[in-house]
Amino acid sequence: MHAEPAPTAVIADDERLLRVQIVARLKEAWPELLIVGEASNGREAVAMVQSLEPDIVFLDISMPEMDGIQAARALAGQAHVVFVTAFDQYAIKAFEQGAIDYLLKPADPERVALTCQRLRARLSQKPDPMNDLLEQLSHRIGGGSLKAREYMRWVQASVGANIRMIPTSDILFFRAEDKYTRVQTAGFEALIRKPIKELIDELDPDEFWQIHRATLVRVDAVEQVSRNFRGKQIVHVKGSEEKLEVSRSFSHLFKQM
């Protein structure tokens, strides 16, 4: 009796760090799934799927050269499609029609587990070419009825007795401290009352990563990642002497860096 071959998948997203996160989430939810390729744009994804013939392709909707919907159209019926999107929950109804699934950025472990469960059930069937659905999605996105999520671009924070408006591009990291959250820039620190769990939903996941339940760091402010004497990953941030510890549940973020 022959063992069933392991299911295979290709992941396409123009943000490498987001691909790393999705791969890690998939490994947790579906260890048997083999990730056979990673693409950084739609054209690359189409070529990779046609060459490697995976069972599943995860397509970011917003990619350069060829977006996820155009790529899905080019691959009609060749693989089961899951869209990865930053579009907000209220607009997801369009994705819930037909043999299709979606993941919202940043990838939530419970949602990834549900998607994997659905995919397992669907693998026994032929992939749906989704012609009508892709047409509908194309119109919705092209017509602007699917709005990309608006992320926080400024933080209003207390600096001494004053209130300052701090652009998120100036912030190195956020750190929970007692009843406040510290906002650290290269030049000063400030305090806000908004907790880390609320900030996670309001900040762009391409710009900020959670590395600890009490810490968010701006990705392009990360200078290097080292290990301390206890084997814990430590993030060194440009423009700050502070060293930020990465908790075990977020250590996968820097495995490939």
Side-chain angles (χ1 to χ4, degrees):
M1 203 172 155
H2 295 291
E4 284 289 315
T8 54
V10 161
I11 293 174
D13 195 308
D14 57 321
E15 287 288 335
R16 187 181 69 82
L17 296 176
L18 271 254
R19 293 201 305 271
V20 171
Q21 190 202 47
I22 290 169
V23 168
R25 292 276 185 258
L26 287 169
K27 280 183 180 169
E28 290 165 10
W30 195 355
E32 302 80 20
L33 181 67
L34 294 179
I35 310 300
V36 292
E38 293 183 31
S40 57
N41 60 57
R43 287 190 196 287
E44 209 175 282
V46 170
M48 206 173 271
V49 170
Q50 289 174 339
S51 159
L52 299 171
E53 299 183 347
D55 300 301
I56 303 155
V57 58
F58 292 82
L59 292 171
D60 181 19
I61 282 199
S62 304
M63 286 189 288
E65 295 187 43
M66 178 189 265
D67 66 31
I69 291 168
Q70 292 167 321
R73 195 174 271 141
L75 292 169
Q78 294 178 50
H80 294 277
V81 172
V82 177
F83 283 122
V84 182
T85 176
F87 294 131
D88 213 343
Q89 285 281 20
Y90 73 88
I92 292 300
K93 285 182 184 171
F95 298 94
E96 291 177 337
Q97 300 170 27
I100 196 164
D101 214 338
Y102 64 91
L103 293 175
L104 279 177
K105 296 181 186 181
D108 172 71
E110 287 182 12
R111 177 70 210 185
V112 174
L114 176 62
T115 294
C116 289
Q117 187 182 326
R118 289 175 177 173
L119 285 166
R120 279 192 193 96
R122 203 177 293 156
L123 283 180
S124 58
Q125 307 160 19
K126 282 189 174 178
D128 187 332
M130 306 178 300
N131 297 329
D132 293 342
L133 179 65
L134 291 175
E135 196 64 38
Q136 184 192 353
L137 280 173
S138 186
H139 283 311
R140 284 202 176 207
I141 291 169
S145 62
L146 277 180
K147 300 278 189 243
R149 189 183 300 183
E150 287 294 317
Y151 292 109
M152 187 190 292
R153 294 292 169 215
W154 297 83
V155 172
Q156 186 174 298
S158 304
V159 182
N162 303 314
I163 299 291
R164 286 185 74 152
M165 294 297 288
I166 308 168
T168 55
S169 55
D170 287 354
I171 296 168
L172 302 177
F173 61 85
F174 295 89
R175 198 167 196 177
E177 294 186 358
D178 298 323
K179 294 177 182 176
Y180 295 92
T181 297
R182 172 155 60 108
V183 181
Q184 186 68 52
T185 73
F188 63 90
E189 63 180 57
L191 295 173
I192 58 174
R193 286 187 177 274
K194 195 179 285 283
I196 293 289
K197 64 182 180 185
E198 284 183 27
L199 284 167
I200 293 164
D201 292 333
E202 295 179 19
L203 291 164
D204 186 341
D206 291 350
E207 190 178 5
F208 286 90
W209 272 22
Q210 183 173 23
I211 59 168
H212 189 280
R213 64 183 171 79
T215 314
L216 298 172
V217 66
R218 202 174 86 244
V219 179
D220 64 7
V222 174
E223 186 167 49
Q224 64 174 18
V225 181
S226 63
R227 288 191 184 274
N228 66 11
F229 67 95
R230 290 180 293 130
K232 292 272 190 182
Q233 290 177 328
I234 302 295
V235 169
H236 302 254
V237 180
K238 298 168 193 168
S240 172
E241 293 296 309
E242 198 136 1
K243 295 175 177 61
L244 308 172
E245 189 175 297
V246 182
S247 67
R248 185 179 297 171
S249 49
F250 298 103
S251 61
H252 65 269
L253 295 174
F254 302 105
K255 283 261 167 69
Q256 296 177 29
M257 291 182 77

